[in-house]
């Protein structure tokens, strides 16, 4: 499934920012998309960890989610600097009104979308997600999808990332931006 408000050949070199729920493949698809476009790839969570000197999980544990979201907002504002690159955001980044407005104004937002069932299967493989610790992944992801999908839907490009290989999503993004 591909939904795009952009016309063919619309990409002007703005940063491409991948948004969506945890486990949807933003980092993996982002790395592959950047390689295909011969652009730098930046993972916002990695940048946050570098700036803070600790992991996302440690930041959540020590300071809480609001503190993390504030740092995330500042890092994304620095990354969305007008230079061509591919940026993978954390699942909650696009939920922040200020961050979402910045991305929509200065980048091309691409919503990678998958069902909570598919995402729950993917995230069960690793115990690195603070919002899932000690909770049922399917229930948490269903709740997050209900709250966040209307916000993700503001992205001009929506790409399904269900059971297809990541290259399918990369090709769909390239088609959506006219390449």
């Amino acid at each position: 499934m591909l939904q795009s408000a952009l016309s063919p050949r619309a990409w002007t070199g703005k940063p491409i920012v991948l948004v969506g729920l945890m486990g949807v493949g933003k980092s993996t698809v982002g790395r592959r998309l950047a390689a295909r476009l011969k652009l730098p790839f930046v993972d916002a969570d990695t940048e946050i960890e570098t700036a803070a000197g600790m992991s996302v999980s440690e930041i959540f544990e020590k300071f809480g989610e609001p503190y993390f979201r504030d740092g995330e907002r500042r890092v994304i504002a620095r990354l969305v600097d007008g230079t061509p690159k591919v940026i993978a955001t954390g699942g909650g980044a696009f939920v922040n009104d200020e961050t979402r407005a910045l991305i929509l104004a200065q980048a091309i937002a691409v919503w990678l979308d998958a069902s909570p069932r598919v995402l729950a299967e993917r995230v069960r493989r690793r115990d690195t997600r603070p919002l899932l610790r000690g909770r049922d992944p399917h229930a948490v992801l269903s709740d997050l999808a209900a709250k966040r999908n209307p916000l993700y839907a503001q992205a001009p490009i929506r790409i399904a990332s269900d059971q297809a290989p990541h290259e399918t999503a990369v090709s769909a993004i390239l088609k959506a931006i006219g390449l």
Side-chain angles (χ1 to χ4, degrees):
M1 174 172 101
L2 170 67
Q3 171 184 313
S4 173
L6 296 177
S7 59
R9 302 284 173 221
W11 188 55
T12 60
K14 285 183 173 183
I16 298 169
V17 179
L18 304 180
V19 302
L21 288 171
M22 67 179 89
V24 79
K26 297 179 299 285
S27 295
T28 304
V29 170
R31 275 188 210 87
R32 292 176 185 203
L33 178 63
R36 292 268 298 272
L37 290 169
K38 296 179 176 47
L39 292 176
F41 169 74
V42 183
D43 186 303
D45 281 352
T46 302
E47 293 293 310
I48 292 163
E49 290 176 342
T50 300
M54 60 182 77
S55 72
V56 169
S57 293
E58 290 169 330
I59 297 168
F60 263 76
E61 191 176 305
K62 189 169 184 178
F63 300 107
E65 186 175 0
Y67 179 89
F68 171 79
R69 296 294 173 208
D70 185 56
E72 179 178 59
R73 178 190 52 76
R74 285 182 277 122
V75 165
I76 291 172
R78 177 175 51 81
L79 295 175
V80 178
D81 61 2
T83 61
K85 66 175 75 88
V86 177
I87 303 167
T89 63
F94 205 66
V95 175
N96 178 287
D97 293 337
E98 194 176 328
T99 301
R100 186 173 59 259
L102 173 77
I103 292 169
L104 291 172
Q106 297 184 27
I108 296 176
V110 177
W111 174 22
L112 294 180
D113 187 21
S115 72
R117 179 187 52 76
V118 169
L119 296 175
E121 282 304 310
R122 290 181 186 170
V123 300
R124 285 185 212 281
R125 299 175 198 153
R126 280 189 257 133
D127 184 32
T128 59
R129 316 258 182 191
L131 296 178
L132 297 179
R133 289 259 163 76
R135 301 170 70 195
D136 173 47
H138 186 265
V140 172
L141 288 160
S142 294
D143 184 51
L144 288 173
K147 292 174 184 169
R148 294 179 178 180
N149 284 0
L151 298 171
Y152 295 145
Q154 293 179 38
I157 299 172
R158 179 180 179 186
I159 304 294
S161 177
D162 274 321
Q163 298 292 38
H166 291 303
E167 278 304 317
T168 303
V170 171
S171 294
I173 294 168
L174 291 170
K175 182 178 178 185
I177 63 172
L179 299 176

